[in-house]
Amino acid sequence: MTKLVLEEIKQELIAANAVKGEEEFCVGWLGKNASYMRTLRFQNLQPSADALAVCASKLNYYRAKLERSSEARHRAWAERFATLHEKCTVALNEQAEAKWRVAERMGAA
């Protein structure tokens, strides 16, 4: 699920001309190396909580900046960034809950 969220965010940022491609998205929006998404795909891994948190934070930062713009298209992107921020935050919370629930089931909590 969380991999799909990052794919959606990446595609939206490309559409908004906020990034040129996947490498720029990985470095600038996830705080990871340029091949991060490719590694997730090839190794069938889920993104780290760190990557999701960095992405959510940056989406929220630019949402706030875009909301202050007088241009309607910027405000429209602010709304879209808010939606993407929410999806990223939900994915982060789902991942975190899955982690602590495993510990609970194992009697570690």
Side-chain angles (χ1 to χ4, degrees):
M1 165 71 176
T2 55
K3 237 187 314 193
L4 295 175
V5 169
L6 288 185
E7 283 292 334
E8 179 182 356
I9 292 168
K10 178 188 74 176
Q11 292 305 321
E12 290 281 346
L13 292 175
I14 290 170
N17 291 318
V19 296
K20 290 180 178 81
E22 185 169 281
E23 291 179 7
E24 187 177 347
F25 172 67
C26 291
V27 173
W29 287 78
L30 303 178
K32 299 294 181 184
N33 69 41
S35 63
Y36 184 71
M37 294 288 286
R38 187 173 40 238
T39 301
L40 294 180
R41 281 192 302 274
F42 289 141
Q43 295 185 7
N44 198 29
L45 299 171
Q46 292 300 316
S48 68
D50 176 64
L52 291 167
V54 169
C55 188
S57 176
K58 195 162 183 178
L59 285 165
N60 197 47
Y61 175 83
Y62 282 106
R63 176 211 45 84
K65 286 200 165 289
L66 289 165
E67 278 180 342
R68 292 191 294 270
S69 174
S70 60
E71 292 188 41
R73 66 185 176 97
H74 289 165
R75 289 191 309 277
W77 275 110
E79 290 178 23
R80 187 64 189 137
F81 276 30
T83 300
L84 294 172
H85 171 265
E86 178 65 24
K87 288 181 177 187
C88 200
T89 302
V90 167
L92 176 60
N93 286 334
E94 286 174 357
Q95 189 181 54
E97 184 175 341
K99 190 169 190 171
W100 64 258
R101 284 196 180 273
V102 168
E104 182 180 88
R105 284 195 309 263
M106 294 176 68

